[in-house]
Amino acid sequence: MRRRHGVLLTTALLAQLAAGPFPATATAPGAPEPTAQCGVVRSGGTPLGDAEVTLYQAGDGGHARPRVLARARSTEDGRFTLDYRRPDDPRAVLYVLADLPGAGRTAAATTDGTTTDGADLNGPHDPHGPVTLAAVLGGAAAPPELVVNERTTVAVAYALSRFTGPAGVSGTHPGLQNAAAIAHNLADTGTGDIAATLATPPNGHLTSTMAEFNTLANLLAACVTGDACDRLFDLARRPGHDRPQDTLRAAVDIAHDPGHNAAELFDLARTSPSYLPALSDAPAAWTVALRYDGNGHEIDGPGNIAFDADGNAWVTNNYRYDADPTVPVCGGRALLKITPTGQDAPGAPYRGGGLYGAGFGITVDTTGTAWAGNFGFQGDGCPIDPTPLERSLSRFAADGTPLSPPEGLQEGGIAQPQGMASDRTGTVWTANCGGTGVTRIPDGDATRAREIPLPGLRKPFGAAVDPADRLWVTGNGNDSVQLLDPDGTPRRTVTGGGLRRPLAVATDSRGNAWVGNSGILPVPCAGSTADDLAAAATSATDDPATRPGASVTLIHSDGTPDPAPFTNGGLFLPWGIAVDGDDTVWVANFGGHRVARLCGTDLTACPPGHRTGQPISPPDTGYPSDGLDRNTGLRIDPSGNVWLANNWRTVPLRTNPGGHELVLLIGAAAPVPSPLL
């Protein structure tokens, strides 16, 4: 998926507000029955009367125009009723915009696609300024009364931030539908309050996200009921983009560039403390980090993530779950499948197929089959000998049925498998961290698996395929990267460019490879142990001298590395790495509680004046969150959410060092199609 140019959400949507009333028609046989949706528009506890409320069906396609379904005007007590017919498509996403008097107008689209003239968005407006509030109706059961307020607006702005364009809100399945559903994890459209997912553990008062979300709502309230609209729009304006003209678009712009003017926006939000609890200090960035823990007693040491065609997250689990870090745990025997909204998929977690202590290796192939690498992770004190259990792969059907035998798939020289990747032909690859090469499984046929020795590679770890189906593999043990042709022929060994204890690798749309250099982390295979990894990780502090070499290396598609690595953006023990749909680069860190974001090779997706590798996230802190622990896997889903695996606790105990959550940065990245091939 390529970049969506510009955020023209409200300009286009307001263009439809002048559409005339629907003609009266008889109900066709089999047509949906008329539906009445009641609702109320509020700012905090204050009803907002005389708001023009419009119900839309989001466009089905990247540039499709949304369709007006109903319109009403709120009464003095803020209430309204929308009479409409539910679309035939059960996947249709419906949302409401409430536009207060004084909001500007552009040329307005009618229901038949023609336009009528309206006032210029830049024209005069009342002291409240152009105010547009929003709420998602589709994606969850409609409440008896729909509340539209600043909280529901922030939920829409973040969850749907990547589905905007000249025609309005539009997108394809499953990204748009999943994004609409996730909006209900942030705000409760039946009450206007914080949604249960955000309000309760592992979120709630355990992290600062709930307070941050309320502060963002207060920021919009400063415009809705105050006189701060011009200040809000000036601060929210992204470099190189048009100034937002209403509250919804301002919130979308903040979601796209959360580190821009963060402190100034916080100061403005404090002028309208309508929603509590709120932040007491300015954040480094306005990223909204939401934690998932599945059923609450299954995630322990999540290693890496892969998405299927529906946007479900398949997750490896290092350890058997136990909430007590002092209790010795053996290797995880459960493969997780988490829905986009954070629940277990039907029948999940899945067991069998030789699964034991899976690590960083997981992929979903062209058929929707999930593969996991059995590394043999376990805590100190587990009585099981992991040696016979760390030399196999496990394979599962889309419904969780194990397709590998009880001892796992052992063909092709599997040895402590870590990074995995699959290509468009169905070929599956795995890096053998405990060996000297990779295993290639053509067409996913394990009987044809073969080992490809790579003498120039020690501790093969990260693996990624590029658009030409070539494989890139990192060598954590000798600061190198190996490039292989699709048939497995070794093409080039890459050294230099700042490669130092490299871990994950990702490729962009131009065939370039991006490598996360941990600098000091030895992966626990081929002679190194988990104790070595823990010692290196705990030695890193805020002093850069304690984590030398923490960086990202760009290797061009011809195998030539950039002479110098990239070192800013909040990099702190880089591990997982991914490239989003705009070719910008995201990096997880095994320390520092932060995510880094770097400008990629497509400079049009970066702030003006940025160069390739220059940080987009704040240089000193990255995008920090107290919801993050020690992160390994990082992936981007079809809705533009950045998923991270809280693999280890900040202070790990060797008996059970595992973390217990997945963390999503909501709507932070350009969406990526799934599965990642």
Side-chain angles (χ1 to χ4, degrees):
M1 182 180 296
R2 300 302 307 146
R3 186 183 181 217
R4 301 179 187 275
H5 294 281
V7 181
L8 302 178
L9 171 65
T10 308
T11 299
L13 293 179
L14 290 178
Q16 300 175 57
L17 288 174
F22 292 102
T25 57
T27 302
E33 291 297 319
T35 298
Q37 176 63 57
C38 299
V40 60
V41 186
R42 296 193 186 114
S43 176
T46 303
L48 299 176
D50 203 30
E52 189 169 16
V53 183
T54 307
L55 174 64
Y56 293 95
Q57 177 181 345
D60 183 13
H63 301 286
R65 182 178 295 278
R67 186 163 68 95
V68 176
L69 299 182
R71 175 178 298 109
R73 188 170 293 279
S74 65
T75 57
E76 186 176 353
D77 61 0
R79 301 189 180 279
F80 61 86
T81 300
L82 295 164
D83 296 311
Y84 72 104
R85 297 184 188 278
R86 179 78 191 185
D88 293 332
D89 184 357
R91 301 188 306 189
V93 170
L94 308 185
Y95 59 97
V96 166
L97 296 184
D99 182 52
L100 268 65
R105 292 286 190 273
T106 58
T110 64
T111 53
D112 62 3
T114 61
T115 60
T116 59
D117 291 334
D120 191 335
L121 268 176
N122 295 312
H125 53 76
D126 69 11
H128 293 305
V131 169
T132 299
L133 301 177
V136 172
L137 182 62
E145 181 176 76
L146 177 72
V147 177
V148 186
N149 65 8
E150 290 91 350
R151 279 182 175 141
T152 63
T153 305
V154 174
V156 170
Y158 272 75
L160 297 173
S161 69
R162 300 292 167 168
F163 296 94
T164 61
V169 174
S170 62
T172 56
H173 183 267
L176 176 63
Q177 287 73 19
N178 293 347
I182 289 170
H184 294 280
N185 281 348
L186 300 175
D188 185 335
T189 55
T191 63
D193 294 334
I194 294 290
T197 301
L198 179 55
T200 57
N203 299 291
H205 294 289
L206 298 181
T207 76
S208 61
T209 301
M210 181 171 65
E212 179 191 7
F213 188 82
N214 279 333
T215 307
L216 285 165
N218 288 336
L219 182 62
L220 302 190
C223 170
V224 176
T225 59
D227 57 1
C229 293
D230 286 336
R231 181 64 174 159
L232 170 63
F233 301 156
D234 288 341
L235 292 174
R237 178 180 183 174
R238 293 187 289 152
H241 292 261
D242 292 337
R243 181 177 184 266
Q245 298 294 319
D246 63 82
T247 48
L248 176 59
R249 187 172 173 182
V252 170
D253 281 0
I254 295 168
H256 275 256
D257 194 353
H260 182 60
N261 289 333
E264 293 85 351
L265 288 166
F266 171 76
D267 290 340
L268 182 59
R270 297 186 70 180
T271 65
S272 180
S274 301
Y275 298 100
L276 298 173
L279 293 176
S280 58
D281 297 296
W286 294 99
T287 45
V288 172
L290 189 68
R291 299 204 295 190
Y292 290 163
D293 63 358
N295 63 22
H297 51 268
E298 62 186 358
I299 300 178
D300 199 323
N304 205 356
I305 305 158
F307 296 104
D308 62 22
D310 292 323
N312 299 301
W314 294 75
V315 186
T316 56
N317 216 27
N318 290 178
Y319 311 105
R320 177 183 60 82
Y321 176 83
D322 197 300
D324 186 348
T326 67
V327 174
V329 292
C330 294
R333 295 184 183 269
L335 184 63
L336 309 174
K337 183 180 179 182
I338 306 295
T339 68
T341 51
Q343 295 78 38
D344 278 347
Y350 308 127
R351 293 175 170 83
L355 194 70
Y356 187 82
F360 197 65
I362 188 166
T363 189
V364 175
D365 66 20
T366 54
T367 68
T369 299
W371 300 72
N374 297 312
F375 184 82
F377 273 112
Q378 58 187 38
D380 287 352
C382 171
I384 296 175
D385 177 7
T387 304
L389 303 172
E390 61 186 23
R391 297 181 176 275
S392 70
L393 305 178
S394 295
R395 185 184 184 194
F396 291 83
D399 65 358
T401 302
L403 302 177
S404 47
E407 67 276 10
L409 301 170
Q410 300 181 358
E411 297 86 352
I414 301 294
Q416 291 186 300
Q418 287 284 27
M420 297 184 70
S422 52
D423 67 20
R424 291 170 294 178
T425 71
T427 295
V428 175
W429 301 83
T430 185
N432 293 314
C433 192
T436 59
V438 299
T439 297
R440 181 177 184 268
I441 308 175
D443 304 318
D445 182 357
T447 65
R448 299 163 57 197
R450 70 182 179 96
E451 181 181 12
I452 301 173
L454 299 170
L457 206 64
R458 290 175 51 200
K459 293 189 178 182
F461 187 80
V465 292
D466 65 18
D469 285 339
R470 302 180 302 173
L471 180 73
W472 299 79
V473 187
T474 63
N476 176 262
N478 65 338
D479 303 338
S480 64
V481 172
Q482 180 72 53
L483 173 62
L484 293 84
D485 285 338
D487 64 0
T489 302
R491 177 57 52 193
R492 180 166 181 170
T493 300
V494 183
T495 58
L499 291 171
R500 184 167 179 176
R501 291 284 187 189
L503 291 171
V505 58
T507 60
D508 63 22
S509 66
R510 302 180 183 185
N512 305 304
W514 295 81
V515 182
N517 298 303
S518 71
I520 60 174
L521 298 178
V523 291
C525 63
S528 298
T529 68
D531 288 334
D532 298 327
L533 175 61
T538 54
S539 69
T541 69
D542 287 334
D543 182 358
T546 65
R547 42 189 169 89
S551 64
V552 170
T553 295
L554 168 61
I555 306 174
H556 297 277
S557 59
D558 64 358
T560 304
D562 259 21
F566 308 118
T567 57
N568 284 325
L571 296 173
F572 193 119
L573 305 184
W575 194 304
I577 192 167
V579 178
D580 70 13
D582 282 347
D583 270 354
T584 58
V585 181
W586 295 79
V587 187
N589 292 281
F590 201 63
H593 307 279
R594 64 187 66 172
V595 180
R597 181 185 180 194
L598 308 179
C599 179
T601 54
D602 181 2
L603 301 185
T604 65
C606 306
H610 270 55
R611 305 177 304 278
T612 295
Q614 188 171 347
I616 298 175
S617 53
D620 295 331
T621 64
Y623 295 144
S625 171
D626 55 7
L628 298 172
D629 283 324
R630 294 193 179 275
N631 300 119
T632 51
L634 180 152
R635 289 289 185 267
I636 298 163
D637 72 12
S639 300
N641 304 304
V642 179
W643 292 60
L644 298 110
N646 273 352
N647 179 247
W648 271 15
R649 297 169 185 260
T650 301
V651 181
L653 298 182
R654 293 299 307 129
T655 48
N656 179 8
H660 298 296
E661 304 92 16
L662 302 171
V663 184
L664 283 68
L665 302 186
I666 303 298
V672 173
S674 62
L676 181 64
L677 304 173

